[in-house]
Amino acid sequence: MNVYDAARMSDVLAPLGYRHVETPQDADLVILNTCHIREKAAEKVYSELGRLRDLKQDRAEGKAPMMIGVAGCVAQAEGAEMVRRAPYVDLVFGPQTYHRLPEMVARATRETSGLSGAGRGIIDTNFPVEQKFDFLPEAASQGPSAFLTIQEGCDRFCAFCVVPYTRGAEYSRPVAEVLAEARQLVCGGAREITLLGQNVNAYHGESPSGGEWRLAALVAELAGIAGLERIRYTTSHPRDMTRDLITAHGEIDTLMPYLHLPVQSGSDDILRAMNRQHTAHDYLNIIDGLRAARPDIALSSDFIVGHPGETDADFEATMGLIRKVGYAQAYSFKYSPRPGTPAAAMEDAVPEDVKSERLARLQSLINEQQVLFNETFVGRTIPVLLDRLGRSDTQRAGRSPWMHSVHVDFDTLAAATRAFGRTVELQILSAHPNSLAATPVWDAGATLQEPATV
Ligand code: SAH
Ligand code: SF4
């Protein structure tokens, strides 16, 4: 979501004459868009700010002073404390306020004096009543694969999680607004759209005819947009995995056969302590339902090891669940206490070395599963949306329907250029832990040597 938010900040700043530059040295305005989910992510911000302070000081005479902004959830959580610790920061603004960025930049420009550029530090961490989406300009093109935020914030209050405090209460964008932005993105070249939300399947946006639509209805409507070949959504909560959404996976071809459905733990006691409001059995039932609807669906999850109170037996229950499900990939983290969350006040903290040992075991099991999953694709021909340049002139990279990262080498630069931005049939030559290597399948009917497209 921070990638999406950064793109929208660019959209809102473009009318002021701002454009992207490649290095911070060349920038009149540097914005760090930050994440507060774990302590490590939050800490990085201050070390990065230290580097920017030096750049701001080094800026050559005659140039406008560099302005530094901090956006996102660390800004939200730190507020005035950030300006106290880093007085050279000009703007501190939370994730719900960036539609007011032009106004903040104008104020900071007025108030910033001299080349030292020390302003007074403008802080905006409100949760405004007006929705930022109502004030943002049309979304600019993001290329073949685009993000679209449909839902933000969270009301679930998992014990370990800071999101409800930093992103705020749950909000779903109206259906008409989402459809308009999706069409805009497709006109700008998107063939794939990933719908985003902190708890995306809690979506319940106002429908064009009054009432509300859940995510399944929204996805069905989006599937009708000509030229939109792929739809994905992330991140979902098992409790919001409704029957109609599970069924949609079997009925909507453009809904990709890959789902990130975090379970966090396989132990019912820990799930209860986490306030996840479901059991391991409930989760496995959902997985069964998804596989019945779409047998080739690939699954991914997030895991937290070492949540307060996690015993060896709890951890083994998580390992057991992983073995039962068989994941295509997963993200796993050591529990990190977040100030203000209920879990941070819980007793029975798990020692750091135990967390590390559990994390290593869990990750090695996931890696084994990932390698096995990837190997089943060797020799198969699969459609890949090529949306990235590769390591050489003639290499391109993209994603399979199952979210593999796939690299392909073309014979010529012309063939690579023609294939770029399209969904191309590729034959998988070999599997690596984090990617697949492929070769083009040539379209026999074409006059030119055209890669077969879907
Ligand atoms: N809404 C999603 C998760 C969003 S946060 C869900 O309900 O699953 C992304 C991931 O960060 C979480 O799934 C969790 O695994 C991890 N995470 C969140 N808070 C954490 C914490 N305090 N310590 C370690 N990992 C955490
Ligand atoms: Fe955090 Fe996800 Fe739980 Fe919401 S549902 S509190 S975002 S972990």
Side-chain angles (χ1 to χ4, degrees), residues 153-187:
C154 187
D155 294 338
R156 285 225 167 266
F157 290 92
C158 300
F160 53 82
C161 184
V162 80
V163 166
Y165 312 95
T166 53
R167 283 270 169 180
E170 207 276 330
Y171 168 76
S172 295
R173 295 176 71 188
V175 170
E177 202 177 301
V178 172
L179 292 176
E181 190 168 326
R183 289 198 189 94
Q184 187 72 28
L185 291 168
V186 172
C187 285

Side-chain angles (χ1 to χ4, degrees), residues 39-40 305-307 310 333-337 348-360:
E39 198 178 357
K40 212 162 148 193
V305 300
H307 188 274
E310 187 186 72
F333 316 98
K334 285 194 249 181
Y335 167 72
S336 163
D348 292 335
V350 176
E352 230 14 65
D353 57 332
V354 177
K355 282 190 204 168
S356 303
E357 191 256 334
R358 288 180 188 167
L359 186 68

Side-chain angles (χ1 to χ4, degrees), residues 11 71 297 390:
D11 294 343
I297 197 162

Side-chain angles (χ1 to χ4, degrees), residues 112-228:
T112 301
S113 55
L115 284 180
S116 70
R120 279 210 303 268
I122 289 161
I123 300 160
D124 190 348
T125 51
N126 292 331
F127 289 121
V129 231
E130 84 266 16
Q131 270 301 327
K132 63 173 177 257
F133 297 107
D134 295 344
F135 298 86
L136 295 173
E138 277 185 356
S141 164
Q142 294 178 39
S145 180
F147 288 130
L148 200 177
T149 291
I150 63 166
Q151 180 279 341
E152 248 195 88
C154 187
D155 294 338
R156 285 225 167 266
F157 290 92
C158 300
F160 53 82
C161 184
V162 80
V163 166
Y165 312 95
T166 53
R167 283 270 169 180
E170 207 276 330
Y171 168 76
S172 295
R173 295 176 71 188
V175 170
E177 202 177 301
V178 172
L179 292 176
E181 190 168 326
R183 289 198 189 94
Q184 187 72 28
L185 291 168
V186 172
C187 285
R191 290 170 186 255
E192 171 176 88
I193 291 184
T194 301
L195 306 174
L196 299 179
Q198 267 81 38
N199 185 12
V200 74
N201 59 343
Y203 180 82
H204 58 103
E206 183 192 320
S207 93
S209 52
E212 283 183 347
W213 280 9
R214 297 287 312 214
L215 183 58
L218 180 72
V219 169
E221 191 69 18
L222 286 166
I225 297 181
L228 182 56

Side-chain angles (χ1 to χ4, degrees), residues 37-39 154 156 158 160-163 197-200 235-238 260-264 276 301-305 331-338 341:
I37 198 79
R38 285 171 294 277
E39 198 178 357
C154 187
R156 285 225 167 266
C158 300
F160 53 82
C161 184
V162 80
V163 166
Q198 267 81 38
N199 185 12
V200 74
T235 294
S236 298
H237 190 295
H260 182 62
L261 189 62
V263 65
Q264 315 296 353
R276 292 291 286 184
S301 176
D302 292 339
F303 295 95
I304 296 179
V305 300
Y331 303 95
S332 45
F333 316 98
K334 285 194 249 181
Y335 167 72
S336 163
R338 307 311 293 129
T341 59

Side-chain angles (χ1 to χ4, degrees), residues 232-254:
R232 304 180 188 275
Y233 60 92
T234 198
T235 294
S236 298
H237 190 295
R239 270 297 297 269
D240 293 301
M241 213 59 223
T242 51
R243 193 67 245 169
D244 58 346
L245 188 54
I246 294 174
T247 313
H249 278 273
E251 290 176 344
I252 301 174
D253 286 347
T254 46

